[in-house]
Amino acid sequence: MNLQGKEIVLGVTGSIAAYKAVELLRELVKAGASVKVVMTESARRFVAPLTFATLSRQEVMTDLFTLDYDAKIRHIAATEGADLLLVAPATANVIGRFARGLADDLLTNLFLASTRPVLLAPAMDADMYRHPAVQENLERLRTWGVRIVGPAEGELASGMWGPGRLAEIQEILKAVTEILQPTNDLAGEVVIVTAGPTHEPIDPVRYLTNRSSGKMGYAIAQVAADRGAQTILVSGPTALTAPRGVEVIQVETALEMRAAMLDHLPKATVVIKAAAVSDYRLSRPSTSKVKKSEKPQTLQLVPNPDILKEIGAQKGARIVVGFAAETGDLLRQAGRKLKEKNLDLIVVNDIGAEGAGFSHDTNVVSILDLDGGVEQLPLLPKRQVARRILDRVVRLRQERGSGG
Ligand code: CTP
């Protein structure tokens, strides 16, 4: 990692994880970045400013009401030449104040006054993190283009287990590098990603679906776009925010997903099918609400088309990546799907594993290729899984040459 010549403003807020910001600062400085640290008042109760000042070799900024030597107002001046405002750890409180535009100390003023990219690494107790207030604030910040890294799941300072730990330092550094040194190794590719479940209507109010949250597919779309691909995300119903720089096509049913895919397929050079498509739909969904007085029903199902198989059959020079959610004999089942659907790679999700599968922010997968290779990845945040999948796509492209 080379951050030579980069200027980062590191905001440290009052979380028990503030001590980890010391290590983060050391790594950033080691990578060549010039780092100005801004501490909130409560952060100073956890770690002394002197620690940050010594390691950053710069004065630590804490006070809003001080003029710089050239009489510039601090909250305007501090991020002027900066490449990034990084807040780690970011408490529920500072996230809330950012999201509501409140500015009552130096850091919150910096956030409002800055036009630079912002990266937040939240850290708090699991119940706080899950609170709708915090979730809503994070969503709001995301829609403004603020990037969020973590939090990780694990043991928390309270003794609880859950999401809320500050993301690993290496994970934060990766997110920093992604912003400051975007890799463009997918430039020229047109990537179609599918994500989420499908809804197969029973009547106007009910439907068949599955537990897919869409997080894996959204992470892939975000990373693909960040790495320079023209990215189209065909998404089933999810509660997620559209990734930055991605064209999102919302669909509901498997048939709608198929139509959207086939529509965009001619221009695609890469197809990644992370959606959990319903294998069946009702043969005749009711157009009016089914009443309970209509006595117990038997639902007549018909198979949905296997979209991935259809795409595999006409893939040409495209790179096609499928997913397989399995519980039993994972690798054998996935190997079979890889060949049957004429794919280049298949990503196997062990949905039985701890921290893997639906609605988690982490996943445990293996990537199978046509040469019989099996790359087993450890438990990783979905964003990192996305990176590893796209690394394989880039490698395949390099081996094969242009996708046209
Ligand atoms: N898939 C698809 N269309 C379907 C069903 C699945 O495109 N009608 C895709 C999924 O997006 C995924 C892959 O096929 O990339 C594998 O999905 P999965 O449900 O694991 O496998 P199936 O082929 O449906 O096989 P089975 O249900 O027998 O495990």
Side-chain angles (χ1 to χ4, degrees):
M1 186 176 60
N2 180 2
L3 297 177
Q4 211 68 44
K6 300 291 181 192
E7 276 199 29
I8 297 172
V9 175
L10 172 62
V12 182
T13 70
S15 147
I16 186 74
Y19 76 93
K20 295 183 183 170
V22 175
E23 187 58 31
L24 176 61
L25 169 63
R26 285 193 55 205
E27 293 294 331
L28 292 169
V29 170
K30 220 160 70 187
S34 155
V35 187
K36 273 187 214 165
V37 177
V38 178
M39 296 182 82
T40 61
E41 195 183 331
S42 47
R44 282 176 275 152
R45 293 180 179 228
F46 288 94
V47 185
L50 183 60
T51 309
F52 289 107
T54 310
L55 292 172
S56 68
R57 295 181 208 100
Q58 299 196 40
E59 179 203 0
V60 169
M61 295 185 293
T62 52
D63 193 1
L64 179 60
F65 301 103
T66 317
L67 290 178
D68 272 344
Y69 63 93
D70 56 355
K72 275 192 176 166
I73 303 162
R74 280 209 151 177
H75 66 275
I76 311 290
T79 56
E80 233 172 32
D83 298 288
L84 174 70
L85 170 60
L86 163 65
V87 183
T91 56
N93 179 40
V94 85
I95 289 167
R97 286 188 293 153
F98 282 179
R100 301 293 137 175
L102 301 177
D104 54 2
D105 66 1
L106 181 59
L107 185 60
T108 45
N109 272 278
L110 279 181
F111 174 75
L112 281 189
S114 169
T115 53
R116 317 307 304 157
V118 181
L119 174 65
L120 305 183
M124 66 198 75
D125 209 45
D127 286 337
M128 287 175 86
Y129 176 68
R130 290 192 190 107
H131 195 285
V134 173
Q135 289 303 315
E136 226 178 274
N137 288 335
L138 285 170
E139 269 321 295
R140 204 177 158 100
L141 290 167
R142 275 194 195 99
T143 60
W144 296 340
V146 171
R147 300 165 206 229
I148 319 279
V149 53
E153 270 185 52
E155 197 179 353
L156 303 164
S158 62
M160 267 180 89
W161 185 274
R165 280 172 69 91
L166 183 74
E168 293 302 326
I169 300 301
Q170 286 308 320
E171 184 66 11
I172 300 175
L173 292 171
K174 279 215 183 89
V176 168
T177 329
E178 262 177 25
I179 297 170
L180 296 181
Q181 301 173 327
T183 23
N184 262 333
D185 55 1
L186 285 168
E189 303 283 355
V190 181
V191 179
I192 305 189
V193 184
T194 68
T198 61
H199 285 181
E200 308 298 333
I202 296 171
D203 67 15
V205 291
R206 305 177 179 98
Y207 51 79
L208 296 178
T209 191
N210 57 62
R211 291 181 186 276
S212 168
S213 66
K215 286 180 178 172
M216 193 62 245
Y218 274 61
I220 295 171
Q222 183 64 79
V223 175
D226 288 351
R227 284 164 70 162
Q230 181 191 336
T231 309
I232 301 164
L233 173 64
V234 179
S235 173
T238 72
L240 304 174
T241 307
R244 281 178 316 278
V246 171
E247 181 188 348
V248 183
I249 300 164
Q250 300 283 356
V251 297
E252 241 184 81
T253 64
L255 291 181
E256 284 172 19
M257 184 171 279
R258 174 179 178 273
M261 294 293 291
L262 295 181
D263 209 20
H264 289 87
L265 191 62
K267 57 174 179 272
T269 59
V270 178
V271 177
I272 304 180
K273 206 139 188 330
V277 184
S278 176
D279 286 327
Y280 293 92
R281 68 179 184 279
L282 262 77
S283 59
R284 288 188 23 227
S286 172
T287 50
S288 55
K289 188 183 167 203
V290 179
K291 307 297 281 180
K292 71 169 171 278
S293 56
E294 285 175 33
K295 75 182 188 292
Q297 297 265 332
T298 305
L299 301 179
Q300 291 289 340
L301 302 179
V302 290
N304 270 325
D306 189 324
I307 309 167
L308 188 56
K309 200 168 175 178
E310 260 184 78
I311 289 170
Q314 49 179 305
K315 80 173 176 186
R318 293 178 192 88
I319 294 172
V320 179
V321 183
F323 271 70
E326 305 287 350
T327 46
D329 184 359
L330 316 180
L331 298 181
R332 209 170 55 83
Q333 296 290 345
R336 178 178 59 76
K337 287 179 191 173
L338 176 70
K339 296 207 179 74
E340 267 176 23
K341 301 193 186 195
N342 195 26
L343 311 176
D344 297 286
L345 297 170
I346 192 158
V347 182
V348 200
N349 241 312
D350 180 357
I351 50 178
E354 179 84 21
F358 304 124
S359 75
H360 283 277
D361 290 319
T362 50
N363 213 349
V364 184
V365 307
S366 301
I367 306 174
L368 275 61
D369 60 32
L370 283 170
D371 300 328
V374 178
E375 184 183 2
Q376 279 182 321
L377 303 184
L379 176 74
L380 290 172
K382 284 186 172 165
R383 207 179 160 83
Q384 230 170 294
V385 175
R387 279 188 210 119
R388 301 285 286 265
I389 295 168
L390 290 166
D391 286 348
R392 295 293 301 265
V393 169
V394 169
R395 235 161 72 196
L396 274 179
R397 179 62 79 217
Q398 285 163 351
E399 283 162 22
R400 289 190 198 168
S402 161

